[in-house]
Amino acid sequence: MKADVIDPSVQVPLAAAAIEAALVMRARFSIEVIERCDSTNSLLLERAQQGAPVGSVVVCEQQEAGRGRRGRAWISAPGDSLTFSLLWRFAPGVPALAGLSLAVGVALARALEDLGASDITLKWPNDILGAGAKLGGILIETFLSGGSHVVVIGVGLNMRRATDVIDQVDAPVGALDQVMTQLPSRNRVLAALLDSLAILFDEFAVSGFKPLRTAWQARNAHADKEVIILAEGMPAATGRCAGVDEEGALLLDTGSGRRRIVSGDVSLRSA
Ligand code: BTN
């Protein structure tokens, strides 16, 4: 893959042909590159409702209203970010979808590590960290159709730390180029992420999150740390992060016993 390693100052444009050429499981995806849109998740959700096939991928150079978890905005910079959404379906009877976002984090982390990234960790429920700073996020949206779960998985990754993003995001911003000695093109990164996701979905469809729990915990950014959980409308919860259970809920050891947390934002508790 050396030929595809780029000079960090050159922003290779996204191209469907280049993504397809780098994909191992090419037949499982249908790739569309678009110059701009509000949000690839919104676009693909609309298409999913109109019956778009499994494996449809929309990757966008410039999202103008990118969406994050819990109603937040996702800020990205053209050329320096990778923003895409992928459509998948899980048949009726698939194990609970609750752990899917954590499972997706494992697939993305594995792909980035295989590309040579170091110090990739996962922050519950689904942030991707590089050297401790957030470099990627996952937004999963689902609906039921004919008994199947239709799932749109949106991923935003910072390839480089763009000033626009740093200025608008109120938290440390990480990027892939900080944890890789040679940054591959976005086309190559996307192909690796999609291949890893296809493998993971096959496993998830049969066994759910359970067999992926160990892989998630091995990358848990907050393992055994004192943390605080903030969730809308709930009092803050503090305790020691004891990992996740087989459904992907966060386990928090508090002064009054173990608690199971199903939603919220986790951060390190300051001393
Ligand atoms: C988060 O960390 O809050 C999740 C961020 C998810 C961002 C991606 S970018 C591609 C896709 N389209 C969107 O509007 N959001 C997701």
Side-chain angles (χ1 to χ4, degrees), residues 14-25:
L14 292 164
I19 298 162
E20 281 159 9
L23 268 171
V24 176
M25 282 178 265

Side-chain angles (χ1 to χ4, degrees), residues 3-263:
D4 194 40
V5 171
I6 58 167
D7 173 338
S9 63
V10 178
Q11 297 170 334
V12 173
L14 292 164
I19 298 162
E20 281 159 9
L23 268 171
V24 176
M25 282 178 265
R26 189 175 168 174
R28 300 190 73 178
F29 298 102
S30 152
I31 314 280
E32 185 183 353
V33 175
I34 56 177
E35 202 48 43
R36 58 183 67 222
C37 70
D38 285 346
S39 149
T40 55
N41 258 45
S42 303
L43 185 63
L44 204 51
L45 271 171
E46 226 175 276
R47 292 189 183 172
Q49 264 138 9
Q50 292 155 6
V54 168
S56 297
V57 177
V58 177
V59 52
C60 179
E61 197 60 71
Q62 187 165 7
Q63 273 195 147
E64 289 169 343
R67 297 188 289 111
R69 282 176 61 238
R70 301 164 72 85
R72 297 182 189 122
W74 179 258
I75 313 291
S76 52
D80 286 332
S81 308
L82 178 59
T83 50
F84 71 95
S85 299
L86 161 65
L87 172 61
W88 215 260
R89 277 194 176 78
F90 290 99
V94 72
L97 280 187
L100 182 63
S101 65
L102 279 77
V104 167
V106 170
L108 301 182
R110 283 176 173 164
L112 297 176
E113 288 159 4
D114 287 350
L115 287 169
S118 58
D119 202 1
I120 296 288
T121 54
L122 298 169
K123 177 179 155 186
W124 188 88
N126 49 15
D127 286 353
I128 303 160
L129 310 186
K134 179 165 175 173
L135 63 74
I138 301 159
L139 176 67
I140 298 192
E141 297 178 292
T142 65
F143 64 91
L144 274 173
S145 166
S148 293
H149 299 276
V150 179
V151 181
V152 171
I153 299 119
V155 178
L157 273 188
N158 303 325
M159 300 292 290
R160 285 172 278 263
R161 277 162 42 88
T163 319
D164 275 3
V165 178
I166 295 168
D167 288 350
Q168 292 179 68
V169 175
D170 188 21
V173 173
L176 213 45
D177 72 343
Q178 298 187 302
V179 290
M180 292 182 87
T181 47
Q182 290 180 301
L183 191 64
S185 71
R186 290 173 301 161
N187 296 315
R188 165 113 184 87
V189 172
L190 177 54
L193 299 179
L194 293 176
D195 277 330
S196 184
L197 285 167
I199 294 169
L200 177 117
F201 291 152
D202 290 346
E203 185 177 0
F204 190 90
V206 177
S207 315
F209 178 64
K210 193 174 169 182
L212 298 158
R213 180 181 175 211
T214 308
W216 194 93
Q217 299 204 130
R219 297 172 176 85
N220 179 5
H222 289 131
D224 293 324
K225 303 229 166 87
E226 289 297 319
V227 295
I228 178 158
I229 316 286
L230 298 173
E232 223 173 275
M234 302 276 289
T238 54
R240 189 187 63 87
C241 176
V244 292
D245 69 12
E246 290 176 356
E247 284 165 8
L250 186 80
L251 300 174
L252 189 69
D253 284 340
T254 72
S256 52
R258 180 161 287 188
R259 279 186 61 184
R260 190 174 177 271
I261 310 280
V262 294
S263 75

